[in-house]
Amino acid sequence: MSAPLAVYAHVPFCLRVCGYCDFNAHAGMDGLKRAYADAVVAEIEGWRPRIAGRAVASIAFGGGTPGEMPPESLAAIIGAVRAAAPLAPDAEIGIEANPGTTSGAALRELVRAGVNRVSFGAQSFAAAELAFLDRIHTPEATAAALALARDAGVASVNLDLMYGLPGQSPAAWEATLDHALRLAPDHLSLYALTVEPGTPLAARVERGEVAPADPDRVADLYEAAGERLEAAGYRAYELSNWARPGHESRHNRVYWTYGDYLGVGAGAHGFLDGERFENVAHPRAYLQAVARDGRALARVERPDAATAMSDWIALRLRLVEGFAPAAFADRFGVSLAAAAGPPFDACREAGLLEEAGGRLRLTRRGRLLHNEVAVRALDHLRGRAGVA
Amino acid sequence: MDRARIRNFCIIAHIDHGKSTLADRLLEATGTVGARAMAEQVLDTMELERERGITIKAAAARMAWTGPDGEPYQFNLIDTPGHVDFTYEVSRSLAACEGALLVVDASQGIEAQTLANVYLALDQGLELIPVVNKVDLPHAEPERVARELARVVGFARAEIILASAKEGTGVAAILEALRERVPPPAGDRAAPLRALIFDSVYDPYKGAVAHVRVVEGEMRGRADLRLMQTGVAFEPLEFGIFAPSMRPLASLAAGEVGYVATGLKDVADCRVGDTVTLAAGPAAVPLPGYRQAKPMVFAGIYPTDSDRYPDLREALERLSLNDAALVFEAESSAALGFGFRCGFLGLLHLEIVVERLEREYGLGLLTTAPGVEYEVALRSGETVAIDNPSRLPPAGGIEEIREPWAAIDVVAPSRHIGQVMELVTSRRGRFLRMEYLEPESDVAPGEARVLLAYEIPMAEILVNFYDSLKGSTSGYASLDYQPAGYRAADLVKVDVLVNGQSVDALSIITHRERAAREGRSLVLKLRALIPRQLFDVPLQAAIGGRIIARETVRALRKNVLAKCYGGDVTRKRKLLEKQAEGKRRMKRVGSVEIPQEAFMAVLQLREGQESRE
């Protein structure tokens, strides 16, 4: 059996690293970009035996800011994937880009290389909020970038927006949403600002300069956004993602459905045949590792049954459609009721889960309490494993 | 050894005044422990003791020393526990000595507890050798402290030795003073054996090992011995001395200090203060001063994971092997399941036990708020002891509730008298007397050290009292306490209902006039401490079924990760694991998860009051 495969390529470079960001992103390393692309190509070639014969259903460039890579470098990486495994005819090839550093010429070149989805880090349409987030672009730049993408023939355009910024009023959030809707993107990802430990933002919070938003107010913003987007014809298909019909991200769906994906590039994560992989994170260390070994693995983990079940449940429940309990049994050879009946019953009773059309899914209230369900399932599965 | 060349002594000192360092220097100077082989603080062997810098268990060491007269001397140092919770143990250590080094920090002066121990030592007729220690410190005021000692205890200035145990100065003078001033032990070696147990330690091979001072007679051979208070007889496995580790000897005679390995499986049979005699030809009367260890503080200890109840039982059994003062009995709580009601000498003792259970036995524990034992006189004429608020009989059946009181001594600079008075009276304390330890003319205004004596309900000093005392006197006050009997009080029980269900472990017994206010304060604290659940959780306080306060912990609305970035499932899982860990540390009561801190909320009630009053 050879299930389709997704490929994730990490690009760890940014013109400037934002204060809230704790991803593997580095500024001031632009000189490494071409060598880096060569290394990713070499790494893909190294994976060839492992992925041979599997159709690649999607390629996603994340970062960092892949949109700031030389387009021919990204084209070379796409070429390396094609050379290693056949690309499905309808494959999704997406990149993330910063509206402030997007050019029409680059977009056209990327489309020629096969890119059909671009995701812009719009984040907000209020200049002050963008400044707070250390973003280098303006609200106008986002509108212009989206127009350039349309002109270049990008089939699907996403905007990332952030909410729950310190002091953000419901009106300010709705203004950003309205602005985004006027630009008519095909897809919207809404992310609550999270204060991640070790970031400059966390340091500001610690010093008392920034007061994080009240979680209940953030919940209000989430619910208000959901209503607005649905009224505008977007459908929530994942906890943080809305799309016009047919524009759901197929790549991200692979993560949520526990599918296989290859991760290449610095710090990238992969999941193949039940094993989880993690690459060396620092770009220079990554380059050295690939130069030396042709690969850059930092860690390989084969989760035990309880962990795998818990991961599966946590990921599947992020999809609004939920899952059919039979799919769990197919995958693990044990029924969901036998593996994790009690926490599911408890969450159903508490109004976090519901059954609809033979599927289990989060209720509307449950969407904001996904961790509560996932933690209970994890705890139960681990406890059960401990007894067995 | 000729009795005339034996000196038995202990060291009386406040925490941090340098007792352990001085003991180390004495062991070094007498060649008992080579300087190179010397770990810091040889006598404090428990890991926890070293970390906290205090002595929990007493220890002993024999030292050989050649005096200026060219004669060999035997010095026996008996270490004493250094905390207010262990006054009885201190008194037994003192009873094993003829002399004591009184060590006082040259920059601090004498503290309340030290003074209490000085009085104990004087009562028992010990020769005191005053040592002003840490004279090397920049803030040292040795002459001022020497004047204080002279005034308070009545020393002549010439008797007082200035020393720096850290630098080794004064150590020779101390050894010489021990030889010259401490009287050799008396006691008839031909009389029937009487040996005082001043500590007992459990050894897996030797059973209970009694630390003893032979007062009269002699121990020799394997003749059966008998403990006069507990009545237990045994054949000794061996006896010997501490050098400083155990070294067997053929005999121990009157005046000497050493150990007896009893082979007994239970240290409770081998209690501090008991008298060892011969089974055949016993002494007529035991040595005076024996007292049963009486716990003063009680708390429930429950495993957070109820499956570990048997492990907790085993851990308590093993700890109590070495700690006769720790008492425990099984109890069950409707809210917390199966656990143990434990009695302790004091709060420090409680903390040490809980910490050891968690650290040495890897147990996750939930401890209920510590309380005292009440005497409840029932209408039926019966009197019952209640050490758990939830066990208080219904009000209708109660004739009278009596609570334990304590006599406390506080020593503080005179400028803090007002704060101390305010603190003690806000906690129902009654002033007894005040005494200047040094004349005001001797020191800067407000700096003269004053002893304040009060009586106060024991329950009032259990919780944050010492910290409040320290806080309101910039750290200058010291405290000593003694139990002072039971007195009737107008007390009621306040119950707490969580989600409509009474949680026995949250009940408190308090003074009637404060009950309503404390009930309100308690549910407010609980609202802050109980994390939001998936549903609204009402919290209520009730007195005799009447609700006096209500708060609500609102249902949780949001707990979700924004995104699963680039397929990094491991990181997401780690966050979930952390949350699961947090849940596991909580106790499920009905359908509500309650963290440990909530059960300690009652401890914060008094704090709030002081800032308001």
Side-chain angles (χ1 to χ4, degrees):
Chain A
M1 185 201 80
S2 57
L5 183 72
V7 177
Y8 174 76
H10 191 76
V11 176
F13 308 112
C14 278
L15 202 54
R16 173 175 173 187
V17 177
C18 302
Y20 59 86
C21 177
D22 77 333
F23 300 147
N24 186 22
H26 303 264
M29 288 194 192
D30 287 3
L32 296 182
K33 282 179 175 173
R34 285 180 193 279
Y36 184 83
D38 292 344
V40 173
V41 167
E43 195 196 351
I44 292 165
E45 282 165 3
W47 279 105
R48 209 178 246 198
R50 183 84 185 242
I51 61 171
R54 299 180 68 160
V56 172
S58 66
I59 304 172
F61 290 94
T65 316
E68 290 168 5
M69 282 289 274
E72 62 274 22
S73 292
L74 298 183
I77 293 169
I78 294 168
V81 174
R82 282 181 197 275
L87 208 56
D90 59 345
E92 175 185 293
I93 303 180
I95 69 157
E96 293 175 354
N98 187 315
T101 54
T102 296
S103 82
L107 285 172
R108 284 191 294 278
E109 204 174 329
L110 288 171
V111 170
R112 275 199 296 281
V115 169
N116 50 24
R117 185 174 194 271
V118 175
S119 176
F120 288 113
Q123 315 311 1
S124 167
F125 285 92
E129 289 177 357
L130 289 171
F132 168 80
L133 292 169
D134 301 324
R135 302 297 300 185
I136 56 173
H137 69 278
T138 60
E140 296 73 31
T142 301
L146 198 141
L148 289 174
R150 295 274 186 237
D151 286 349
V154 176
S156 202
V157 179
N158 169 59
L159 295 183
D160 280 355
L161 297 177
M162 293 180 92
Y163 63 98
L165 311 184
Q168 185 181 38
S169 67
W173 171 230
E174 284 174 24
T176 278
L177 281 174
D178 286 344
H179 202 133
L181 289 174
R182 280 200 295 280
L183 299 178
D186 307 295
H187 186 285
L188 279 157
S189 296
L190 311 185
Y191 297 123
L193 175 65
T194 310
V195 179
E196 299 287 358
T199 57
L201 177 62
R204 292 176 70 186
V205 170
E206 237 163 73
R207 288 197 299 269
E209 293 168 20
V210 171
D214 178 301
D216 284 10
R217 299 290 77 75
V218 179
D220 291 340
L221 299 181
Y222 176 85
E223 285 172 358
E227 285 170 23
R228 220 167 186 86
L229 297 194
E230 274 161 45
Y234 295 82
R235 201 178 63 91
Y237 69 99
E238 195 266 353
L239 297 180
S240 302
N241 289 285
W242 284 257
R244 289 166 146 165
H247 284 276
E248 295 85 1
S249 164
R250 272 168 286 151
H251 180 82
N252 287 342
R253 216 186 134 79
V254 171
Y255 301 150
W256 300 316
T257 52
Y258 209 72
D260 281 6
Y261 50 95
L262 177 66
V264 294
H269 290 254
F271 181 47
L272 289 176
D273 313 315
E275 276 182 343
R276 297 202 175 273
F277 302 89
E278 183 180 342
N279 271 353
V280 173
H282 195 276
R284 289 185 208 281
Y286 169 81
L287 287 178
Q288 280 167 12
V290 175
R292 198 178 53 235
D293 308 328
R295 49 206 259 154
L297 285 176
R299 213 165 53 87
V300 180
E301 177 205 7
R302 180 172 281 280
D304 58 29
T307 304
M309 290 180 196
S310 158
D311 286 347
W312 191 97
I313 290 167
L315 290 164
R316 280 284 173 134
L317 281 178
R318 286 194 69 97
L319 287 170
V320 169
E321 65 185 31
F323 63 88
F328 180 90
D330 285 349
R331 174 93 197 190
F332 296 107
V334 52
S335 77
L336 182 72
F344 275 90
D345 291 344
C347 290
R348 209 171 352 201
E349 206 166 298
L352 306 190
L353 286 175
E354 63 192 5
E355 228 179 308
R359 300 177 77 86
L360 261 177
R361 64 180 191 196
L362 293 172
T363 58
R364 279 196 179 263
R365 176 171 175 240
R367 288 182 201 174
L368 277 168
L369 292 166
H370 171 266
N371 283 352
E372 293 289 323
V373 183
V375 163
R376 281 167 173 75
L378 173 90
D379 202 35
H380 181 85
L381 285 160
R382 286 277 168 85
R384 188 172 157 274
V387 172
Chain B
M1 169 75 61
D2 178 2
R3 239 179 10 211
R5 292 203 303 273
I6 297 177
R7 301 290 181 271
N8 295 319
F9 71 102
C10 58
I11 305 178
I12 297 173
H14 194 68
I15 296 167
D16 286 342
H17 282 202
K19 182 180 76 172
S20 300
T21 314
L22 180 58
D24 290 353
R25 285 300 95 80
L26 294 175
L27 294 177
E28 246 174 51
T30 55
T32 313
V33 178
R36 278 182 53 204
M38 182 116 185
E40 277 282 296
Q41 301 187 3
V42 171
L43 289 185
D44 291 348
T45 46
M46 212 188 288
E47 186 187 354
L48 204 57
E49 290 183 336
R50 285 185 195 211
E51 267 173 40
R52 292 185 174 223
I54 55 168
T55 310
I56 297 164
K57 299 287 289 182
R62 175 186 284 198
M63 295 173 260
W65 184 66
T66 307
D69 50 8
E71 296 288 332
Y73 285 86
Q74 180 195 112
F75 286 172
N76 291 307
L77 165 59
I78 293 169
D79 200 10
T80 51
H83 190 273
V84 63
D85 285 354
F86 303 99
T87 306
Y88 170 69
E89 285 71 10
V90 172
S91 79
R92 295 305 83 202
S93 290
L94 295 177
C97 302
E98 279 76 36
L101 295 172
L102 166 60
V103 179
V104 177
D105 187 316
S107 60
Q108 308 276 326
I110 196 161
E111 307 286 0
Q113 248 173 270
T114 312
L115 203 51
N117 289 340
V118 165
Y119 294 144
L120 275 178
L122 291 175
D123 284 351
Q124 299 188 10
L126 265 59
E127 179 65 30
L128 289 181
I129 299 171
V131 176
V132 174
N133 190 25
K134 303 196 187 182
V135 294
D136 58 303
L137 291 184
H139 302 298
E141 292 181 90
E143 288 308 323
R144 182 195 150 190
V145 171
R147 276 199 302 279
E148 183 185 74
L149 283 175
R151 185 188 149 74
V152 175
V153 194
F155 295 115
R157 173 61 187 87
E159 292 179 77
I160 300 172
I161 299 170
L162 303 187
S164 164
K166 198 173 126 216
E167 300 187 342
T169 53
V171 173
I174 290 168
L175 286 167
E176 175 53 19
L178 286 169
R179 182 189 76 89
E180 199 180 73
R181 298 190 218 164
V182 175
D188 182 358
R189 287 191 173 177
L193 173 68
R194 288 206 294 174
L196 172 69
I197 300 178
F198 60 87
D199 195 11
S200 68
V201 169
Y202 187 77
D203 180 291
Y205 302 104
K206 297 174 180 159
V209 175
H211 294 200
V212 295
R213 154 72 194 273
V214 183
V215 178
E216 285 172 333
E218 194 176 14
M219 240 182 262
R220 182 178 283 281
R222 304 283 296 260
D224 278 7
L225 299 177
R226 178 186 299 281
L227 299 169
M228 297 183 78
Q229 301 288 356
T230 57
V232 176
F234 61 92
E235 183 191 351
L237 301 179
E238 66 178 48
F239 42 82
I241 56 162
F242 299 98
S245 47
M246 287 193 273
R247 185 199 297 161
L249 286 184
S251 75
L252 268 185
E256 293 189 299
V257 171
Y259 70 87
V260 186
T262 65
L264 296 172
K265 290 298 163 223
D266 191 352
V267 281
D269 288 336
C270 187
R271 288 184 180 275
V272 170
D274 204 343
T275 303
V276 183
T277 192
L278 289 165
V285 286
L287 295 162
Y290 175 77
R291 212 171 74 195
Q292 285 255 15
K294 183 169 166 31
M296 305 301 299
V297 174
F298 298 83
I301 297 184
Y302 292 80
T304 42
D305 174 359
S306 47
D307 291 345
R308 299 206 63 192
Y309 173 77
D311 298 341
L312 175 57
R313 173 188 290 281
E314 198 189 320
L316 280 167
E317 277 166 0
R318 287 174 56 184
L319 272 193
S320 67
L321 279 179
N322 233 335
D323 184 350
L326 168 66
V327 299
F328 62 95
E329 62 179 30
E331 76 170 2
S332 68
S333 150
L336 303 178
F338 290 101
F340 295 90
R341 174 86 355 196
C342 302
F344 308 91
L345 293 173
L347 275 188
L348 178 82
H349 188 207
L350 181 159
E351 273 175 42
I352 289 165
V353 168
V354 170
E355 201 168 323
R356 291 188 66 189
L357 288 170
E358 291 189 328
R359 195 189 288 202
E360 294 169 25
Y361 298 91
L363 290 162
L365 297 179
L366 196 144
T367 310
T368 63
V372 297
E373 186 171 69
Y374 296 91
E375 276 181 12
V376 181
L378 300 174
R379 293 247 152 93
S380 63
E382 201 188 341
T383 299
V384 291
I386 297 294
D387 59 18
N388 178 348
S390 69
R391 302 272 188 280
L392 191 70
I398 296 176
E399 185 66 39
E400 183 179 78
I401 304 178
R402 295 187 283 267
E403 64 174 333
W405 279 62
I408 63 169
D409 285 344
V410 175
V411 171
S414 61
R415 67 193 145 94
H416 290 303
I417 291 174
Q419 288 98 311
V420 174
M421 287 281 182
E422 200 181 307
L423 172 68
V424 176
T425 48
S426 77
R427 296 203 180 207
R428 299 193 283 140
R430 291 178 198 156
F431 174 71
L432 290 180
R433 65 193 167 85
M434 179 163 86
E435 186 185 319
Y436 275 80
L437 299 181
E438 54 191 345
E440 286 189 276
S441 55
D442 208 25
V443 289
E447 293 301 325
R449 289 150 49 74
V450 177
L451 183 144
L452 297 152
Y454 302 90
E455 289 179 315
I456 188 168
M458 188 75 83
E460 299 284 345
I461 58 171
L462 273 193
V463 168
N464 295 321
F465 180 76
Y466 189 58
D467 290 341
S468 300
L469 183 66
K470 284 278 180 193
S472 59
T473 60
S474 319
Y476 281 107
S478 61
L479 171 73
D480 184 63
Y481 75 84
Q482 288 291 316
Y486 279 79
R487 294 181 199 176
D490 191 9
L491 299 169
V492 294
K493 182 171 68 150
V494 179
D495 290 312
V496 173
L497 290 81
V498 174
N499 204 25
Q501 181 188 341
S502 173
V503 178
D504 50 8
L506 290 171
S507 298
I508 56 172
I509 291 177
T510 190
H511 220 251
R512 184 183 305 277
E513 61 190 35
R514 282 181 179 179
R517 191 176 53 194
E518 292 200 352
R520 278 194 297 276
S521 172
L522 185 55
V523 290
L524 263 174
K525 296 270 182 215
L526 289 173
R527 191 186 66 179
L529 290 168
I530 295 178
R532 298 167 71 180
Q533 319 269 320
L534 295 178
F535 45 89
D536 283 357
V537 177
L539 304 173
Q540 296 158 301
I543 299 175
R546 188 170 55 89
I547 303 295
I548 52 160
R550 184 192 161 103
E551 294 288 336
T552 303
V553 179
R554 293 272 164 226
L556 181 68
R557 281 196 61 197
K558 179 176 177 290
N559 178 16
V560 59
L561 299 178
K563 70 198 285 192
C564 165
Y565 186 76
D568 185 354
V569 173
T570 314
R571 175 172 159 178
K572 179 184 166 64
R573 190 197 304 141
K574 281 189 182 136
L575 281 161
L576 293 176
E577 280 166 353
K578 216 170 131 192
Q579 291 196 9
E581 187 55 42
K583 272 192 199 303
R584 233 168 277 143
R585 277 198 299 271
M586 290 193 266
K587 194 82 193 175
R588 210 179 163 82
V589 177
S591 49
V592 182
E593 281 159 342
I594 305 183
Q596 159 80 57
E597 303 82 66
F599 294 96
M600 291 296 187
V602 60
L603 301 189
Q604 298 168 13
L605 291 179
R606 308 267 146 85
E607 267 178 356
Q609 260 163 40
E610 266 138 34
S611 57
R612 268 203 312 277
E613 282 167 8

